[in-house]
Amino acid sequence: MTGMPPTYVSSGSFVAWSKTPRTVYAAPRDPRMVVVILRGALDGLAVVPPIGDPNYARLRGELAIGVAGIGRILSLDGFFGLHDAMRTLHAHYVAGDTLIVHAAATPYRDRSHFDGQDVLESGMPGPRDTVSGWLNRAVLELPVGDQIEVARPVGLAISPTVPLIFRGAAPTLTWTPPNFQSASPDTQSRLMELYGEIDPALLRAFVEGREIDSLSGHGDVPVPRTKTAGPSFREAAEGAAKLLAAESGPRIAALSFDGWDTHANEGAEHGKLARLLAALDDALDGLASGLKSVWHDTVIVAITEFGRTARINGNEGTDHGTATTAFLMGGAVKGGRVVADWPGLGNSQLHQGRDLMPTTDLRAVLKGLLRDHLGISELALSQRVFPSSIAVRPLNGLVG
């Protein structure tokens, strides 16, 4: 299957378009959805350790967080725990706003990051099957009605360029926190006068860019940074939240967090993984704070291309695996629970003798969210958003 070419026009640190699509909402609901891609393969067995599985400590050894005095965990349901670095996620779990899906995976069963991320973002059964992403195709399938009509952008990628998940026929806005000091209001006014005289199209793009930066909270505020320092993940998350919370802003966003390839020195309590999780948890807090006004109608889903091996390697880390965890957080989530058809960690229960066995198709999770939160039909989900997935039924009861 070949997707349609993406529709977007570059303008500064964001992508804008002069004629936004007219979206019609048939119900008083105004849902938001944020997809967080954790690139590099998240170790789900370390983040949500199955402390109740008798084989967990044997397989994990010194990385068996939560057992034999190794590290600290936050209580979930008695069988699973949560890494101590994820305190924001845990607070929302206790409040009923977080749901964790364990032993989940895409259809991909090999171990290439590039191919795994391609499958994760394209929504196809295998890599390199299309040039469009499932989230872009989902935007095209949003239901329409006749009660409320609003002209505004729908999709937002927090990225300098449009990632695969958002490529396709639906126009997509991109934005990143500016890595430079903003021009003064006087300079911006002079530029507007100049563009108005020589290039009306450039003036229109410049004005739209100012509006987007203003919505994100970075309008005329100088941002002092070194030339080499980029924005933190929390800054990106806060910017996304402000844009999604704005009445005239987009409603569906995607952002990425790199670095989860923990082959060496992964650590249990204080290693590389713990630092990454603390940064992710801080970003989730930024999203929750920024989306507070629309929290009741928000879903955040964090996903990764595959998991990591059940056993540790010789470098105190883990290698590329298969099943892992996905996190759902938001006021619209029916949380306070872990959803898992647990396969076990006995030698005969592992995938290929080395990985957590996948028992939940990640597409079932995403289909459940897109159907029940965004109102996309099951037929559209199986035929166009996730082609060749008719046998993968949406998970029920994820939102409510």
Side-chain angles (χ1 to χ4, degrees), residues 222-236:
V223 184
R225 291 196 189 97
T226 65
K227 292 182 178 180
T228 57
S232 71
F233 191 55
R234 176 161 185 133
E235 286 179 292

Side-chain angles (χ1 to χ4, degrees), residues 49-389:
I51 55 176
D53 191 301
N55 293 296
Y56 171 65
R58 173 183 60 82
L59 282 173
R60 278 285 155 133
E62 61 190 63
L63 294 186
I65 187 170
V67 299
I70 301 174
R72 294 175 295 179
I73 62 168
L74 303 168
S75 177
L76 293 179
D77 61 2
F79 186 87
F80 295 104
L82 182 66
H83 196 289
D84 185 60
M86 303 293 286
R87 292 183 173 269
T88 293
L89 191 74
H90 185 259
H92 284 278
Y93 179 93
V94 173
D97 290 350
T98 288
L99 182 149
I100 298 168
V101 182
H102 216 318
T106 72
Y108 183 69
R109 292 294 178 270
D110 292 319
R111 304 175 191 278
S112 162
H113 288 301
F114 302 104
D115 288 349
Q117 290 174 19
D118 185 287
V119 172
L120 180 72
E121 295 185 66
S122 72
M124 302 299 288
R128 297 178 296 280
D129 282 346
T130 182
V131 296
S132 66
W134 65 263
L135 196 53
N136 188 284
R137 298 194 297 270
V139 169
L140 296 175
E141 299 295 338
L142 289 174
V144 295
D146 57 5
Q147 293 185 21
I148 303 174
E149 186 170 332
V150 203
R152 64 186 178 206
V154 177
L156 168 70
I158 305 299
S159 172
T161 59
V162 178
L164 174 58
I165 193 171
F166 249 137
R167 292 178 196 164
T172 299
L173 173 74
T174 75
W175 178 86
T176 56
N179 194 29
F180 52 84
Q181 191 175 63
S182 300
S184 68
D186 179 67
T187 299
Q188 294 187 37
S189 296
R190 291 174 183 273
L191 286 172
M192 290 175 63
E193 291 177 6
L194 175 63
Y195 295 158
E197 293 179 2
I198 65 174
D199 194 332
L202 184 58
L203 171 63
R204 185 168 56 248
F206 185 78
V207 170
E208 289 169 346
R210 290 186 67 189
E211 291 174 353
I212 292 298
D213 278 346
S214 178
L215 285 175
S216 69
H218 290 81
D220 297 323
V221 181
V223 184
R225 291 196 189 97
T226 65
K227 292 182 178 180
T228 57
S232 71
F233 191 55
R234 176 161 185 133
E235 286 179 292
E238 288 178 332
K242 288 179 181 178
L243 288 168
L244 264 67
E247 183 177 352
S248 59
R251 291 299 182 258
I252 302 172
L255 60 161
S256 300
F257 191 14
D258 300 343
W260 300 89
D261 200 15
T262 50
H263 284 289
N265 302 315
E266 179 175 319
E269 188 175 9
H270 301 295
K272 177 182 178 181
L273 182 63
R275 293 191 295 272
L276 286 166
L277 290 174
L280 172 61
D281 199 62
D282 190 41
L284 293 175
D285 180 67
L287 283 170
S289 298
L291 290 165
K292 185 177 180 180
S293 63
V294 293
W295 189 245
H296 66 285
D297 226 354
T298 293
V299 170
I300 301 164
V301 54
I303 53 179
T304 189
E305 66 261 35
F306 45 70
R308 309 198 71 82
T309 50
R311 297 180 180 86
I312 63 175
N313 60 28
N315 296 313
E316 299 180 355
T318 51
D319 298 320
H320 299 175
T322 308
T324 183
T325 55
F327 304 106
L328 281 61
M329 190 176 100
V333 173
K334 293 178 66 174
R337 56 202 173 109
V338 179
V339 174
D341 179 9
W342 189 244
L345 294 175
N347 290 335
S348 63
Q349 297 169 316
L350 297 177
H351 175 67
Q352 297 182 348
R354 55 179 284 175
D355 303 337
L356 176 63
M357 181 74 72
T359 56
T360 298
D361 193 313
L362 184 59
R363 292 173 297 178
V365 179
L366 299 174
K367 281 184 172 186
L369 292 178
L370 294 173
R371 182 194 64 186
D372 297 338
H373 187 54
L374 298 185
I376 301 175
S377 73
E378 287 194 36
L379 181 64
L381 290 169
S382 294
Q383 292 187 352
R384 294 183 290 277
V385 179
F386 298 100
S388 305
S389 68

